[in-house]
Amino acid sequence: MTEQAVTTTVVRNEAQHRYEVWYGDKLAGFTEYRERDEDTVFIHTEVDSEFGGKGLGSTLARRAIEDVIDRGRAVVPRCPFIKSWLDKHPEFDEHVVGKGIQR
């Protein structure tokens, strides 16, 4: 039996102030944020246990951070998951308040 590839997408849901990760047609998780001046403050991340082990949290973090940077904003990681992910990816340090950005 052949397993079909499932598409993973990440979208910015501005109305709910969060980035969402979709696994096929199912909402698998999200990371909530607040925008303040030129900063995007990540405050909470969840991935449903049903989708554990698929790397969706990392995909969500990477794409959310990349979108924030592409929009010319700075990252403020208040969420432990996003902070931990950024600690493992120093290539983003120059865009993170408290690392490459000192205030």
Side-chain angles (χ1 to χ4, degrees):
M1 186 166 180
T2 305
E3 190 174 320
Q4 290 186 338
V6 177
T7 303
T8 300
T9 55
V10 174
V11 296
R12 180 168 25 106
N13 181 336
E14 290 184 53
Q16 293 190 352
H17 305 285
R18 68 187 196 178
Y19 287 88
E20 301 171 339
V21 61
W22 291 80
Y23 188 71
D25 63 352
K26 295 181 179 179
L27 177 62
F30 59 88
T31 185
E32 295 177 321
Y33 67 86
R34 297 295 178 261
E35 293 191 335
R36 184 181 63 221
D37 300 321
E38 68 272 5
D39 295 342
T40 297
V41 182
F42 286 93
I43 57 173
H44 180 72
T45 302
E46 286 185 30
V47 175
D48 192 296
S49 60
E50 173 186 347
F51 301 98
K54 299 182 185 315
L56 298 180
S58 291
T59 298
L60 173 60
R62 177 175 296 278
R63 294 192 188 156
I65 298 300
E66 288 173 345
D67 182 69
V68 167
I69 293 166
D70 288 348
R71 293 186 304 120
R73 304 184 61 77
V75 176
V76 179
R78 297 280 185 251
C79 165
F81 180 82
I82 296 294
K83 182 181 182 320
S84 174
W85 188 89
L86 284 166
D87 287 345
K88 296 173 191 162
H89 294 86
E91 66 270 26
F92 295 104
D93 282 0
E94 68 183 280
H95 304 285
V96 179
V97 174
K99 289 189 175 198
I101 300 173
Q102 300 302 319
R103 294 198 181 128

